[in-house]
Amino acid sequence: MHNTHVGIDALAFAGPEHYLDMTDLAAARGVDPGKYLHGLGQKQMAIATPCEDTVTMAVAAGARALAAFGIDPGEIGTLIVGTETGIDHSKPVAVYVHELLGLSRNCRTFETKHACYGAMAGLTASIDWIAAGRARGRKALVIASDIARYGLETPGEPTQGAGAVAMVVSDRPRLLELDRTRFGDYTRQVMDFWRPLYSKYALADGHYSIECYLDALEGAWHDAANDTPQTLALDRLAACLYHVPFVKMARKAHHKHLEIEHGGPLPSDDAQAHARLNASYAEKVAPWLELNATVGNIYTGSLFLALIDLLRQGRASFEGREVSLFSYGSGCGATFCVGRIAASAARQAAALDPQADLDARRRLDIDEYERIMAESETGDLVETLDPSRYGLDRGGLFYVGTREHVRRYARA
Ligand code: HMG
């Protein structure tokens, strides 16, 4: 069939230059560090200064994906930025990114929003654009870019983070082929997490949001299974990738995934079933959660950050193997789908590994973190912002203030 190989051809991550260590946050909040490190599974979280926003991170990730995979900006015929931390009620982040990446004027450009689901919405729209024959040999660039903020001393505080993942979608993908016959969708109006127009911070009914996520996994899985659940069998999958608001959530998701396949809850006294769950989690999920544990929740990009973690390991034995992907956006919308690791994927491992950048990040102390959080409240209203005030000295593109209601960006 035409275009059966549509999928992800290039991937890159870019994020803030600073992070907070979870042990420092635990000490400041008087919480046992074990809760953050093991209870949530987080080690560090990326903290964006007022000069690092959804646009600057998206541009950095987009530029890196194009350069690292040798793709000319002129080849991009669709640009979609998925975000839930936009910078304008009307003007899309994507149009700034379009200019700053030097893309062609004959490019369809827009922003997608559905909480953490926005980038998956962009990815599926791009696949459809190619499969419908509209691409005429061009590629789509889909960028997930977000700053996850719940505010100081809230239950969500340890699940913050920031960053962008850029993916190029094409009909000759070098990384992951997506099977258009095995996509399942799910939507339900729930108040688990939202951010009203007047608030910089997300509101969350945290424990309920976990239930909603797991319910959506079940709903989307059944839709993807359609009448052939055997095509989704866990035994066939080399890896299961989930939306990762915090690492422990991926474990809860995998537990649910096993239960869905098993047809009901794993009995708590069934030691063998729990041993199988532990082994399956250790084999198919845990090995690709390191980036999520050190970056934190990046909302739209979190699922794809786990994909980067898997692919950067360059496992040649995974080429040709299938992986599942589950995207969840609060509110809620979800997709479960299956992809196949491309034959050339292992060769691309170094091109998409963000480790050097993560190693170069600076650890904030708690006072610096709280000052950044406070100054971020008014960053949109300040005429002039100086990146050096925040120790942003590695160069790159920054937001430098808003004058006469126009946001300004400059390279430092
Ligand atoms: P909480 O109530 O502070 O934490 O909030 P808890 O009491 O539930 O503890 C968390 C875990 O730590 C528990 O493990 C504890 O047992 C364990 P679990 O029972 O879940 O396995 N624990 C410890 N472990 C070791 N040593 C200790 C210790 N103490 C406790 N000393 C919550 C946690 C996640 C609810 C909160 O951080 C929150 O509200 N986060 C934001 C919402 C969220 O991330 N929801 C996830 C699902 S919704 C989603 O993914 C969408 C989202 O990304 C947004 C979007 O779509 O845009 C959020």
Side-chain angles (χ1 to χ4, degrees):
M1 199 180 164
H2 187 54
N3 277 331
T4 46
H5 298 303
V6 178
I8 300 174
D9 186 48
L11 265 173
F13 168 79
E17 293 186 22
H18 303 326
Y19 72 93
L20 187 65
D21 197 90
M22 299 312 284
T23 57
D24 293 341
L25 182 64
R29 299 292 173 252
V31 169
D32 179 343
K35 174 170 176 181
Y36 296 166
L37 298 173
H38 308 297
L40 297 174
Q42 293 304 124
K43 295 178 184 166
Q44 301 165 349
M45 61 187 189
I47 303 296
T49 64
C51 294
E52 297 162 296
D53 73 1
T54 314
V55 171
T56 65
M57 295 188 301
V59 169
R64 195 167 289 172
L66 297 178
F69 287 81
I71 297 166
D72 189 285
E75 293 179 66
I76 303 300
T78 283
L79 168 67
I80 305 173
V81 176
T83 184
E84 58 180 290
T85 40
I87 45 143
D88 192 290
H89 291 315
S90 165
K91 197 174 164 77
V93 167
V95 80
Y96 291 93
V97 176
H98 175 273
E99 181 188 41
L100 290 159
L101 288 179
L103 303 189
S104 155
R105 290 271 164 94
N106 297 117
C107 178
R108 181 176 72 145
T109 299
F110 58 96
E111 179 173 311
T112 47
K113 180 180 75 181
H114 190 149
C116 297
Y117 181 72
M120 177 56 97
L123 176 61
T124 52
S126 302
I127 291 169
D128 295 346
W129 173 71
I130 292 172
R134 291 242 290 118
R136 304 193 307 258
R138 293 170 299 170
K139 301 174 165 71
L141 176 59
V142 180
I143 308 180
S145 185
D146 272 305
I147 298 172
R149 258 192 197 142
Y150 295 88
L152 304 182
E153 299 184 36
T154 60
E157 186 180 25
T159 64
Q160 300 177 120
V165 174
M167 5 184 193
V168 175
V169 184
S170 87
D171 58 4
R172 272 187 230 130
R174 282 170 279 180
L175 298 173
L176 185 74
E177 297 163 9
L178 286 158
D179 181 346
R180 287 187 288 123
T181 65
R182 281 183 288 165
F183 267 82
D185 303 311
Y186 187 77
T187 298
R188 184 161 77 106
Q189 204 291 101
V190 289
M191 294 305 289
D192 64 331
F193 166 107
W194 65 105
R195 188 167 68 86
L197 289 177
Y198 50 80
S199 177
K200 285 231 175 266
Y201 297 107
L203 306 175
D205 186 343
H207 292 276
Y208 178 55
S209 72
I210 294 172
E211 280 175 39
C212 293
Y213 175 122
L214 297 175
D215 169 67
L217 171 59
E218 184 159 19
W221 185 93
H222 280 293
D223 191 41
N226 204 353
D227 288 331
T228 54
Q230 65 281 5
T231 62
L232 300 184
L234 273 162
D235 277 352
R236 295 169 60 134
L237 301 174
C240 300
L241 305 169
Y242 301 99
H243 167 54
V244 192
F246 52 92
V247 161
K248 175 69 92 54
M249 189 68 230
R251 188 184 163 90
K252 292 178 192 291
H254 198 61
H255 186 154
K256 182 73 179 183
H257 197 161
L258 252 71
E259 291 184 340
I260 296 167
E261 180 154 311
H262 177 256
L266 300 183
S268 54
D269 59 355
D270 185 340
Q272 270 191 342
H274 285 272
R276 272 201 306 279
L277 165 62
N278 289 339
S280 179
Y281 175 76
E283 182 199 337
K284 296 179 197 285
V285 187
W288 7 99
L289 293 173
E290 185 61 24
L291 290 175
N292 295 93
T294 53
V295 173
N297 193 357
I298 58 168
Y299 288 161
T300 45
S302 296
L303 164 67
F304 304 103
L305 191 57
L307 177 62
I308 290 180
D309 206 345
L310 183 152
L311 293 172
R312 74 174 175 156
Q313 297 177 23
R315 298 186 186 206
S317 61
F318 274 23
E319 291 181 352
R321 301 274 322 267
E322 290 187 345
V323 302
S324 66
L325 295 93
F326 174 65
S327 171
Y328 176 75
S330 281
C332 74
T335 287
F336 184 95
C337 63
V338 174
R340 185 183 297 279
I341 309 267
S344 55
R347 265 179 280 145
Q348 313 298 334
L352 49 74
D353 190 353
Q355 195 59 47
D357 267 9
L358 293 173
D359 291 344
R361 294 183 308 172
R362 190 171 71 80
R363 179 174 178 165
L364 296 172
D365 65 32
I366 204 80
D367 291 338
E368 290 174 299
Y369 157 67
E370 293 193 351
R371 180 169 67 91
I372 286 171
M373 292 287 278
E375 293 185 6
S376 297
E377 296 252 356
T378 51
D380 293 342
L381 305 171
V382 173
E383 272 208 3
T384 308
L385 276 173
D386 182 356
S388 67
R389 172 171 171 72
Y390 302 104
L392 299 168
D393 45 23
R394 279 157 54 192
L397 178 78
F398 296 107
Y399 164 66
V400 292
T402 296
R403 204 168 284 163
E404 291 173 2
H405 302 289
V406 176
R407 283 180 86 83
R408 291 179 305 115
Y409 292 90
R411 295 199 181 269

Short mmCIF file of all heavy atoms in Angstrom, two decimals, residues 214-235:
data_model
loop_
_atom_site.label_atom_id
_atom_site.label_comp_id
_atom_site.label_asym_id
_atom_site.label_seq_id
_atom_site.Cartn_x
_atom_site.Cartn_y
_atom_site.Cartn_z
N LEU A 214 -4.90 6.26 33.18
CA LEU A 214 -4.97 4.80 33.03
C LEU A 214 -6.26 4.38 32.31
O LEU A 214 -6.25 3.44 31.51
CB LEU A 214 -4.86 4.13 34.41
CG LEU A 214 -3.51 4.39 35.13
CD1 LEU A 214 -3.53 3.80 36.54
CD2 LEU A 214 -2.34 3.83 34.33
N ASP A 215 -7.33 5.09 32.57
CA ASP A 215 -8.60 4.82 31.87
C ASP A 215 -8.43 5.09 30.36
O ASP A 215 -8.90 4.32 29.52
CB ASP A 215 -9.68 5.73 32.47
CG ASP A 215 -10.95 5.71 31.65
OD1 ASP A 215 -11.60 4.65 31.61
OD2 ASP A 215 -11.30 6.75 31.04
N ALA A 216 -7.72 6.17 30.04
CA ALA A 216 -7.51 6.52 28.62
C ALA A 216 -6.61 5.49 27.93
O ALA A 216 -6.79 5.18 26.75
CB ALA A 216 -6.91 7.92 28.51
N LEU A 217 -5.63 4.96 28.68
CA LEU A 217 -4.77 3.92 28.11
C LEU A 217 -5.62 2.72 27.69
O LEU A 217 -5.49 2.18 26.58
CB LEU A 217 -3.70 3.51 29.14
CG LEU A 217 -2.83 2.30 28.81
CD1 LEU A 217 -2.07 2.49 27.51
CD2 LEU A 217 -1.83 2.03 29.94
N GLU A 218 -6.52 2.34 28.58
CA GLU A 218 -7.38 1.19 28.27
C GLU A 218 -8.27 1.49 27.05
O GLU A 218 -8.39 0.67 26.14
CB GLU A 218 -8.24 0.86 29.51
CG GLU A 218 -9.08 -0.38 29.31
CD GLU A 218 -9.52 -0.98 30.64
OE1 GLU A 218 -9.50 -0.29 31.68
OE2 GLU A 218 -9.90 -2.17 30.62
N GLY A 219 -8.84 2.69 27.05
CA GLY A 219 -9.75 3.05 25.95
C GLY A 219 -9.03 3.11 24.61
O GLY A 219 -9.53 2.61 23.59
N ALA A 220 -7.86 3.72 24.60
CA ALA A 220 -7.11 3.87 23.34
C ALA A 220 -6.57 2.51 22.87
O ALA A 220 -6.54 2.22 21.67
CB ALA A 220 -5.97 4.87 23.52
N TRP A 221 -6.14 1.68 23.83
CA TRP A 221 -5.62 0.35 23.47
C TRP A 221 -6.72 -0.47 22.78
O TRP A 221 -6.48 -1.08 21.73
CB TRP A 221 -5.13 -0.37 24.73
CG TRP A 221 -4.47 -1.71 24.46
CD1 TRP A 221 -3.14 -1.94 24.27
CD2 TRP A 221 -5.13 -2.99 24.31
NE1 TRP A 221 -2.92 -3.28 24.04
CE2 TRP A 221 -4.12 -3.95 24.05
CE3 TRP A 221 -6.44 -3.42 24.39
CZ2 TRP A 221 -4.40 -5.30 23.86
CZ3 TRP A 221 -6.73 -4.77 24.19
CH2 TRP A 221 -5.71 -5.69 23.93
N HIS A 222 -7.93 -0.46 23.36
CA HIS A 222 -9.02 -1.24 22.76
C HIS A 222 -9.35 -0.74 21.36
O HIS A 222 -9.65 -1.53 20.47
CB HIS A 222 -10.26 -1.22 23.66
CG HIS A 222 -10.15 -2.20 24.81
ND1 HIS A 222 -10.14 -3.57 24.62
CD2 HIS A 222 -10.00 -2.01 26.13
CE1 HIS A 222 -10.00 -4.18 25.78
NE2 HIS A 222 -9.91 -3.25 26.72
N ASP A 223 -9.28 0.58 21.18
CA ASP A 223 -9.57 1.13 19.86
C ASP A 223 -8.49 0.70 18.85
O ASP A 223 -8.78 0.36 17.70
CB ASP A 223 -9.65 2.65 19.93
CG ASP A 223 -10.21 3.26 18.65
OD1 ASP A 223 -11.17 2.68 18.09
OD2 ASP A 223 -9.68 4.29 18.20
N ALA A 224 -7.22 0.70 19.30
CA ALA A 224 -6.13 0.27 18.41
C ALA A 224 -6.25 -1.23 18.11
O ALA A 224 -5.96 -1.68 16.99
CB ALA A 224 -4.78 0.57 19.04
N ALA A 225 -6.67 -2.00 19.11
CA ALA A 225 -6.78 -3.46 18.94
C ALA A 225 -7.87 -3.79 17.93
O ALA A 225 -7.76 -4.77 17.19
CB ALA A 225 -7.08 -4.12 20.28
N ASN A 226 -8.93 -2.97 17.95
CA ASN A 226 -10.07 -3.22 17.06
C ASN A 226 -10.49 -4.67 17.23
O ASN A 226 -10.74 -5.10 18.34
CB ASN A 226 -9.66 -2.85 15.62
CG ASN A 226 -10.83 -2.51 14.77
OD1 ASN A 226 -11.97 -2.66 15.18
ND2 ASN A 226 -10.58 -2.04 13.56
N ASP A 227 -10.51 -5.47 16.16
CA ASP A 227 -10.89 -6.87 16.35
C ASP A 227 -9.68 -7.80 16.40
O ASP A 227 -9.83 -9.02 16.35
CB ASP A 227 -11.83 -7.31 15.21
CG ASP A 227 -13.19 -6.66 15.36
OD1 ASP A 227 -13.58 -6.38 16.51
OD2 ASP A 227 -13.84 -6.41 14.33
N THR A 228 -8.49 -7.24 16.43
CA THR A 228 -7.29 -8.08 16.35
C THR A 228 -6.31 -7.76 17.49
O THR A 228 -5.20 -7.29 17.24
CB THR A 228 -6.58 -7.88 14.99
OG1 THR A 228 -6.35 -6.47 14.82
CG2 THR A 228 -7.37 -8.43 13.83
N PRO A 229 -6.71 -8.02 18.75
CA PRO A 229 -5.83 -7.69 19.88
C PRO A 229 -4.47 -8.39 19.81
O PRO A 229 -3.48 -7.88 20.34
CB PRO A 229 -6.63 -8.14 21.11
CG PRO A 229 -7.74 -9.00 20.60
CD PRO A 229 -7.98 -8.61 19.18
N GLN A 230 -4.44 -9.54 19.11
CA GLN A 230 -3.16 -10.26 19.03
C GLN A 230 -2.07 -9.42 18.33
O GLN A 230 -0.88 -9.61 18.58
CB GLN A 230 -3.33 -11.63 18.36
CG GLN A 230 -3.75 -11.64 16.90
CD GLN A 230 -5.26 -11.39 16.67
OE1 GLN A 230 -6.01 -11.12 17.61
NE2 GLN A 230 -5.70 -11.50 15.42
N THR A 231 -2.49 -8.46 17.50
CA THR A 231 -1.49 -7.63 16.81
C THR A 231 -0.83 -6.63 17.76
O THR A 231 0.14 -5.97 17.40
CB THR A 231 -2.11 -6.84 15.63
OG1 THR A 231 -3.12 -5.97 16.15
CG2 THR A 231 -2.70 -7.76 14.58
N LEU A 232 -1.38 -6.51 18.98
CA LEU A 232 -0.78 -5.60 19.97
C LEU A 232 -0.09 -6.36 21.09
O LEU A 232 0.36 -5.75 22.06
CB LEU A 232 -1.87 -4.70 20.60
CG LEU A 232 -2.69 -3.79 19.69
CD1 LEU A 232 -3.63 -2.94 20.54
CD2 LEU A 232 -1.80 -2.90 18.84
N ALA A 233 0.01 -7.67 20.97
CA ALA A 233 0.51 -8.50 22.08
C ALA A 233 1.85 -7.99 22.61
O ALA A 233 2.76 -7.67 21.84
CB ALA A 233 0.64 -9.94 21.61
N LEU A 234 1.94 -7.92 23.92
CA LEU A 234 3.18 -7.45 24.55
C LEU A 234 4.39 -8.27 24.13
O LEU A 234 5.50 -7.75 24.02
CB LEU A 234 3.02 -7.50 26.07
CG LEU A 234 2.39 -6.24 26.70
CD1 LEU A 234 1.87 -6.54 28.09
CD2 LEU A 234 3.40 -5.11 26.74
N ASP A 235 4.19 -9.56 23.89
CA ASP A 235 5.30 -10.43 23.48
C ASP A 235 5.97 -9.95 22.20
O ASP A 235 7.15 -10.21 21.97
CB ASP A 235 4.79 -11.85 23.24
CG ASP A 235 4.69 -12.61 24.54
OD1 ASP A 235 5.17 -12.07 25.56
OD2 ASP A 235 4.12 -13.73 24.53
#
